[in-house]
Amino acid sequence: MPQMRGIRQLAKHLDISIGTVSRALNGKPDVNEETRKRVLAAAEELGYVANQSGRSLRQGTTNAIGMMVESSKETVENSDNFFLGVTGGVQSVLSRHNLDLFMLPCPNDEDPYEYMKRMVARQVVDAMIISATQRIDKRIDLLVKAQIPFVALGRSSSGGDYNWIDLDFEGVATKAVDRLVSKGHRRIAVAAPSSDINLGYIFVDAYRRALERHGIEYDPSRVIRVQSSENGGYQAAETMLRLEDRPTAIILIYELMAIGFYRRMVEEGIFPGRDVAVIGFREEPRAKFLQPSLTRFRMSLADLGVELAETLLATMPVYAAHYPASARNTIWPLELVPGESDAFILKA
Amino acid sequence: MPQMRGIRQLAKHLDISIGTVSRALNGKPDVNEETRKRVLAAAEELGYVANQSGRSLRQGTTNAIGMMVESSKETVENSDNFFLGVTGGVQSVLSRHNLDLFMLPCPNDEDPYEYMKRMVARQVVDAMIISATQRIDKRIDLLVKAQIPFVALGRSSSGGDYNWIDLDFEGVATKAVDRLVSKGHRRIAVAAPSSDINLGYIFVDAYRRALERHGIEYDPSRVIRVQSSENGGYQAAETMLRLEDRPTAIILIYELMAIGFYRRMVEEGIFPGRDVAVIGFREEPRAKFLQPSLTRFRMSLADLGVELAETLLATMPVYAAHYPASARNTIWPLELVPGESDAFILKA
DNA sequence: CTGAAAGCGCTTACAG
DNA sequence: CTGAAAGCGCTTACAG
């Protein structure tokens, strides 16, 4: 006789049927308490945990949530542990429902859309968290069409009415412009990512409106498109140095740009916080120690993770009842942390 | 009649049996080429991809490799995108065999051992990549016992003869000590992690041996145990300042420590690269822009990922034949990148 | 070369 | 409260 495994073996060991074992393990009410105790004890002792494929096939659900991340060279070198920071918060919510989180890194040589299509078709997860949304993002249309519950970290023009959370780029742009204007600046540049990532558009729009509120004319040459990296910041400084009517202040959409920006300016004898005002975006460890300290915006990654997970679960029929009040769309606030990089008053 | 799905629907659509569809899709040889073409075309058109649970259950294999990562606050704040950097290389190897990589983040409030046990029992992946190995690491014993193929990034005393790759801490310690001694230093401190992570022990051992080779007595008070963080570097400087016979040089096991170390020293009017020599460990973006530039060690994360994946596959019976020459244990070299932080010659 | 059938490990109506 | 049986979607001997 072949060796039995899994639930069959456990049932044999206990001399009861596999159905009862399953019901006991899954907390079904119609099980004798004495029986349940025996089953749980034996499972613990033998280290039995239900095979996920068996469960998934039968239940049509994997009890896992996927978080797609991209591991391109640019992402790796130029972002900090943003995603790992968010996972903590996400998991704290998922664990309430015995859901696991898998991070799904899209291979560099695979198109993110194709990768997602494959993951969806294979049904390795019940729902998805996606990020780095593009202005036009086919992934969103795919998920909507395939009726896979999902939440996006980032807005997009695609997909119509779907669930997203996005950082408050408008708020950041507005606060940054207001602050710089209050310090006497009128010629304010912005360094925005050169990729098609949606946040670039949103940010620049808000920056433009903020300028207009202050009666400052929008000058497209002051929107400097560069890579979201230290080197991009260096390039942005280079470009800014060559502008006619050189701006006296700059807002950097990615904080990491600040490192390269500082460097290029100092090379030129122009000192941030004295000769040029700089505001960064998200507080991140790498730029936290810049001298002079950077004015920047702060947020809690863990809290963002919680919000992401709750928004997602609210869209999944099985869990929706637990999260009735969850917003479908959230603008995630950031708090301004004043530094020395823009503290001076510009002389008129 | 209920709507059919999956392979059944596809077979119906093509008016052939599901067995033939399966064989065609899986590249089995005994399929008419004409039939195969029709099947592939139809699958592409209808977006059919085999349900993973069905496959896994039947085949006893998930075609996925798991990479366990920890997302504790300390890991998140104080490491860069190390893991995401490695995944690129890992995936480039896995994709040759149509294997997917899932990152499995261990929740903060769950014991890594329990988490791993659960993942292993559920059989969500065929094999594992683990990291952050402890000196005694129960996970390794578990994987060995459960006969799950795995590779560890980091050595451990546990588990006997298993597969691992580890950074060349000995080489780093030796090169760093040699270099400092050649610049005239005799009182050399080291800042090591306070956790039980295995690399701390390996590093300190090698440091000790290197000192002895130069006829320098080992002084335990010069091994400063701190958190692997910027703040830890600050603490290390604090401790060093208070030592009798204050060291003239320090080796920081985590590069990020350099930021805090510099800061504390400058507060005291002691300038790295002039009054105190500093050598960091792995080149990482956050510390790359320190002034004066830090002497540090460089490695390729992508290549390390490739090596990890090949070592892992070499232990999996199905793939072993492709990787006959893979070493079971590898010491991964790092290259010294000279900076200005230790360039001066110490006056006797 | 193709089809019919068994069975991977589980959960869940259903019968008792 | 428990057991026997069906069936989730697939792959793979086996028969033809």
Side-chain angles (χ1 to χ4, degrees), chain A residues 79 81 91 100 105 122 286, chain B residues 79 81 91 100 105 122 286:
Chain A
S79 75
N81 271 328
Q91 284 180 312
D100 276 307
R122 281 176 56 185
R286 271 180 279 191
Chain B
S79 75
N81 271 327
Q91 284 180 312
D100 276 307
R122 281 175 56 183
R286 271 178 281 189

Side-chain angles (χ1 to χ4, degrees), chain A residues 5 44 47-54 56-57 62-64 69-71 75-89 91-92 95 98-110 115 117-119 121-124 230-231 256 259-260 263 284-289 291 301, chain B residues 5 44 47-54 56-57 62-64 69-71 75-89 91-92 95 98-110 115 117-119 121-124 230-231 256 259-260 263 284-289 291 301:
Chain A
R5 295 217 253 113
E44 175 67 32
Y48 172 79
V49 178
N51 174 299
Q52 191 55 45
S53 298
S56 297
L57 195 54
T62 63
N63 297 309
V69 294
E70 296 181 34
S71 61
T75 308
V76 169
E77 291 193 349
N78 299 317
S79 75
D80 63 356
N81 271 328
F82 187 88
F83 294 109
L84 217 47
V86 170
T87 57
Q91 284 180 312
S92 70
S95 67
N98 289 314
L99 291 166
D100 276 307
L101 179 69
F102 299 157
M103 288 172 74
L104 309 176
C106 175
N108 300 334
D109 56 359
E110 190 165 359
Y115 177 76
K117 202 161 116 181
R118 198 156 54 87
M119 287 301 149
R122 281 176 56 185
Q123 301 172 61
V124 291
E230 296 144 344
N231 196 42
L256 217 48
I259 298 170
R263 194 155 49 99
E284 72 121 272
R286 271 180 279 191
K288 215 157 65 181
F289 287 88
Q291 285 294 339
L301 290 185
Chain B
R5 296 218 254 109
E44 174 68 34
Y48 172 79
V49 177
N51 175 298
Q52 190 56 44
S53 298
S56 297
L57 194 54
T62 63
N63 297 311
V69 294
E70 296 180 35
S71 60
T75 308
V76 170
E77 291 193 348
N78 299 316
S79 75
D80 63 355
N81 271 327
F82 187 89
F83 294 109
L84 217 48
V86 169
T87 57
Q91 284 180 312
S92 70
S95 67
N98 290 314
L99 291 167
D100 276 307
L101 178 69
F102 299 157
M103 288 172 76
L104 308 176
C106 175
N108 301 335
D109 57 358
E110 190 165 0
Y115 177 75
K117 202 162 115 183
R118 198 156 54 86
M119 287 301 149
R122 281 175 56 183
Q123 301 173 62
V124 291
E230 296 145 344
N231 196 41
L256 217 47
I259 298 171
R263 195 154 48 99
E284 71 120 272
R286 271 178 281 189
K288 216 157 64 183
F289 288 89
Q291 284 295 339
L301 290 185

